[in-house]
Amino acid sequence: MVALIGSLVAFVVALLVGGLAIYFGASVIAGVDDYSHAVVTALVGAIAWALVAWIPLIGPLIALVAWIWVINWRYPGGWMNAALIGLTAWLSALLILFLVNAAPGIQIDAFGVPGV
């Protein structure tokens, strides 16, 4: 039971970090200031990624397009803005994880932002 609770807490923290990264990207690029919207986007984006990333050879590319499509669907501005939100979210997640994981004994991930 303790392991299940620990896994659930790790998932929630990783989702909140992924949502924070998307929130930063959406705030900067699209001017959307809604953290809960970003967390849902991170969750849906992670699901979209998981559904297609397993495809041999081209899966990761299709998954990246699917993830950007989710951002495009959830935020205004079209595909270019969605790609910029995704890039900003990815860079933000790297920075957030670098800063948080620099503390001794802490190791978290970002759920909903691929490649971090």
Side-chain angles (χ1 to χ4, degrees):
M1 184 65 160
V2 173
L4 178 64
I5 292 172
S7 295
L8 183 60
V9 168
F11 169 76
V12 169
V13 169
L15 179 61
L16 294 176
V17 169
L20 182 61
I22 291 175
Y23 170 79
F24 286 149
S27 294
V28 170
I29 303 301
V32 176
D33 193 26
D34 188 346
Y35 180 65
S36 61
H37 191 79
V39 171
V40 171
T41 303
L43 180 62
V44 174
I47 292 168
W49 182 279
L51 288 174
V52 295
W54 60 270
I55 299 170
L57 298 177
I58 60 170
L61 180 60
I62 294 171
L64 181 60
V65 171
W67 184 68
I68 294 171
W69 176 84
V70 168
I71 294 171
N72 186 40
W73 170 57
R74 303 269 300 154
Y75 290 99
W79 283 92
M80 182 58 78
N81 270 9
L84 290 173
I85 290 169
L87 177 62
T88 306
W90 183 74
L91 292 171
S92 298
L94 286 178
L95 179 63
I96 292 165
L97 293 176
F98 176 76
L99 294 173
V100 172
N101 290 334
I106 297 178
Q107 182 61 43
I108 63 170
D109 294 317
F111 187 75
V113 178
V116 290

